[in-house]
Amino acid sequence: MKLILLGAPGAGKGSQATKISAEYGIPHISTGDALRANITAGTELGKFAQSFIEKGQLVPDEVVVNIVADRIKKEDCKKGFLLDGFPRTIPQAEALDKLTAIDVVINLDVDFELVIGRISGRRMCACGETYHISTYDKEICAKCGGKLYQRKDDNAETVKSRLEVYTKQSAPLVDYYKDKGILVNVDSNTTIQATFDAIKEILK
Ligand code: AMP
């Protein structure tokens, strides 16, 4: 099963991707995670990507297309994969079409008023776990004991640019995949579990 998760920043793509990946045993491929890993490792790619990410802008298409093209060639992607945060532009979607066929595109629908609160209260762990300060007030990850941190681009100013970028460059992907007949919309304004239950119903 080859899946794409679409949605605005703060729609819950990362949270749903973790759950889908565990439920269906397919690798979770997040271009955002791959770019952040390069920044942490201090690679040339990371240094290049960092300035775009910190301004809330998109990294150039060819950079992320190369990351995905390399990743989906790996053995563990033979039986499927889940793309989170890719594609984010029409040219990225067209490049992906040339690489492989996608089965289902899940679009997480979220009201923009909810997004700022979700993102500004988000705390991350290096192990991949994500928390929200409204439901978890500790500074240590419950899963691995790692120290939680806030993403540099999760501040109100950068979130505003990210939402503008989403509206201009990524929202047209909804129609792109609707026209191909593979898009499903899922309400992501409620809880993580309710959204996940709706996704499982669709993937049955
Ligand atoms: P994410 O973790 O998906 O929220 O991505 C964080 C940031 O990484 C984005 O705001 C972009 O700057 C960059 N990024 C991630 N995926 C892509 C992509 N497919 N195309 C361009 N930039 C991306």
Side-chain angles (χ1 to χ4, degrees):
M1 187 164 52
K2 295 177 182 172
L3 303 177
I4 292 174
L5 265 181
L6 292 183
K13 296 189 295 296
S15 303
Q16 296 304 327
T18 306
K19 285 172 122 23
I20 295 168
S21 168
E23 176 85 15
Y24 297 98
I26 50 174
H28 167 197
I29 303 173
S30 157
T31 41
D33 285 348
L35 293 167
R36 281 185 290 277
N38 273 276
I39 293 173
T40 306
T43 66
E44 285 307 312
L45 174 70
K47 284 179 204 151
F48 176 71
Q50 189 163 19
S51 59
F52 295 94
I53 295 178
E54 286 180 1
K55 283 187 226 129
Q57 294 169 357
L58 294 185
V59 172
D61 289 336
E62 57 274 22
V63 173
V64 283
V65 168
N66 284 338
I67 291 175
V68 171
D70 284 348
R71 182 65 186 85
I72 66 177
K73 271 188 221 143
K74 301 247 159 78
E75 193 54 38
D76 65 334
C77 290
K78 289 274 176 327
K79 60 181 166 40
F81 51 77
L82 170 65
L83 292 173
D84 157 17
F86 180 94
R88 260 181 160 97
T89 65
I90 298 286
Q92 289 179 22
E94 288 167 348
L96 180 64
D97 285 342
K98 291 193 185 121
L99 293 170
T100 190
I102 297 296
D103 300 305
V104 182
V105 178
I106 300 165
N107 180 43
L108 298 179
D109 260 332
V110 69
D111 295 340
F112 275 18
E113 302 88 81
L114 272 185
V115 159
I116 305 269
R118 278 190 184 177
I119 295 186
S120 55
R122 178 158 73 176
R123 296 293 180 271
M124 326 289 294
C125 178
C127 76
E129 281 294 291
T130 307
Y131 299 89
H132 194 277
I133 52 170
S134 62
T135 51
Y136 189 81
D137 62 2
K138 302 182 183 62
E139 288 175 13
I140 297 296
C141 175
K143 197 171 154 200
C144 76
K147 188 161 168 39
L148 303 186
Y149 63 93
Q150 184 172 28
R151 268 171 52 173
K152 265 193 169 169
D153 58 344
D154 276 358
N155 62 76
E157 195 49 41
T158 314
V159 171
K160 215 173 132 248
S161 330
R162 287 163 65 195
L163 286 174
E164 280 165 13
V165 165
Y166 168 78
T167 304
K168 241 203 222 148
Q169 295 183 261
S170 307
L173 291 167
V174 172
D175 280 341
Y176 181 87
Y177 287 115
K178 200 192 278 171
D179 290 348
K180 287 183 182 287
I182 55 172
L183 184 95
V184 288
N185 283 302
V186 174
D187 179 11
S188 195
N189 290 298
T190 57
T191 62
I192 293 176
Q193 190 56 45
T195 304
F196 182 53
D197 289 344
I199 291 174
K200 277 197 295 189
E201 242 346 272
I202 287 161
L203 297 180
K204 242 183 204 171

